[in-house]
Amino acid sequence: MCRAGDEHSDNCNLQRFNRGVNILSYSRITSETIPTLIFDCDGVLIDSEIVVCRLVSEELTSLGYPVSVTEVISRYAGRPEPAMIADIEQDWGRSVPAEYFPRIKARVAQAYASELRPVSGVAETLARIQAPVCVASSSAPQKLRLGLESTGLHARFGQNIVSASYVAQGKPAPDVFIYAAGWMRAQIEHCVVIEDSIPGVEAARKAGIRTFGFVGGSHCPPEHEERLLATGAEHVLRNIRDLERYLPQAFGIIGIQPNATPKWHPKAAESV
């Protein structure tokens, strides 16, 4: 069992991996199965993409790699930081200066404390939809925790928070979503991913998971909805509250009225 304070130890990560692999090997599906909701974090739960991409743009430009906020969003939103750094270094023809890493970490922490907000309607929607929920994000565990705690959302997910650092490949590979489904003891066909990024939608579809796109973050341009649909999103939510309307329709759940408290209260996934 993972003890408090050890959540990111190698032992706990191994337990998570084994759990994810083993649970997907058998079925617990019944006709009354309720979908498990797998949320991306940045740009879906917390309005952080615009904040972090602005800081990345400023820091890289100051170090000699000029890149606009729009470019950072279009090239790297939804991807793990190591993948972003590798791409920049290949394009730049040199290593990213070592001073970038402590500077961006400090600036992100400061921005999270002073300006980060949850995406509009998220807290209310999470409180009303009494289904199993988890987070599957490209962000590192510490950054995930900081962002969710800063916006008051961490308690809603508890230990059901999965980072791409737990798996071999981040988005657009499917690993983190397959892992998240296993962590939640859920079958792939009874999950739905809520994602704002092209790599995230690609990853969810490669995992065989139904996917709702989301364009309610401050970083999403007007044309982003069509891009998500073209990538494979089943629906695109313009407001996170739309989830209460689309979810019952998508899974054929009877007796749930839009904007009404659902009748179902499935047991939350067990913690390790």
Side-chain angles (χ1 to χ4, degrees):
M1 177 173 289
C2 294
R3 293 170 296 187
D6 294 337
E7 292 89 346
H8 309 305
S9 68
D10 290 342
N11 181 56
C12 283
N13 286 341
L14 180 60
Q15 289 183 43
R16 292 187 179 101
F17 176 79
N18 289 335
R19 175 174 172 172
V21 169
N22 293 335
I23 289 165
L24 288 175
S25 66
Y26 66 90
S27 175
R28 298 171 55 194
I29 296 301
T30 73
S31 60
E32 297 179 352
T33 297
I34 299 303
T36 293
L37 309 185
I38 304 175
F39 290 87
D40 178 44
C41 183
D42 297 292
V44 173
L45 297 174
I46 60 177
D47 206 5
S48 54
E49 288 286 15
I50 192 69
V51 175
V52 174
C53 290
R54 185 193 78 230
L55 298 177
V56 168
S57 168
E58 291 173 359
E59 287 299 321
L60 288 173
T61 299
S62 73
L63 291 169
Y65 183 80
V67 58
S68 69
V69 178
T70 301
E71 285 180 287
V72 175
I73 292 170
S74 63
R75 289 167 61 181
Y76 304 120
R79 298 180 64 190
E81 185 183 44
M84 179 189 77
I85 295 299
D87 185 80
I88 289 170
E89 290 181 338
Q90 182 177 19
D91 183 52
W92 200 359
R94 56 160 293 180
S95 297
V96 171
E99 59 263 36
Y100 167 82
F101 299 98
R103 281 166 54 172
I104 195 67
K105 183 177 180 179
R107 292 195 67 189
V108 167
Q110 182 181 32
Y112 274 23
S114 62
E115 60 181 291
L116 183 63
R117 299 291 182 270
V119 166
S120 177
V122 159
E124 298 90 338
T125 300
L126 288 172
R128 290 163 63 85
I129 297 181
Q130 300 299 307
V133 295
C134 73
V135 177
S137 171
S138 293
S139 290
Q142 297 85 350
K143 184 182 174 188
L144 263 175
R145 186 179 188 93
L146 179 62
L148 291 170
E149 286 184 340
S150 297
T151 52
L153 299 176
H154 189 273
R156 179 66 177 88
F157 296 95
Q159 292 192 51
N160 298 327
I161 299 172
V162 173
S163 166
S165 64
Y166 299 163
V167 297
Q169 297 182 78
K171 304 171 188 178
D175 303 28
V176 72
F177 290 127
I178 294 172
Y179 187 113
W183 174 253
M184 295 298 291
R185 289 186 163 89
Q187 293 293 309
I188 290 294
E189 63 268 29
H190 285 263
C191 294
V192 61
V193 164
I194 299 90
E195 256 287 355
D196 68 304
S197 73
I198 300 298
V201 172
E202 289 178 351
R205 298 305 300 132
K206 288 175 184 175
I209 301 178
R210 298 173 70 172
T211 309
F212 294 172
F214 180 69
V215 294
S218 299
H219 65 293
C220 295
E223 66 273 16
H224 197 54
E225 180 172 347
E226 290 302 319
R227 291 174 181 170
L228 293 177
L229 289 169
T231 305
E234 184 174 326
H235 299 289
V236 173
L237 314 177
R238 297 177 182 176
N239 187 303
I240 200 65
R241 297 178 183 88
D242 294 340
L243 189 59
E244 294 184 80
R245 175 162 55 95
Y246 282 116
L247 190 63
Q249 294 174 4
F251 285 87
I253 302 169
I254 299 171
I256 303 176
Q257 300 299 321
N259 300 318
T261 303
K263 303 291 186 184
W264 31 271
H265 299 270
K267 183 180 178 182
E270 300 171 9
S271 60
V272 178

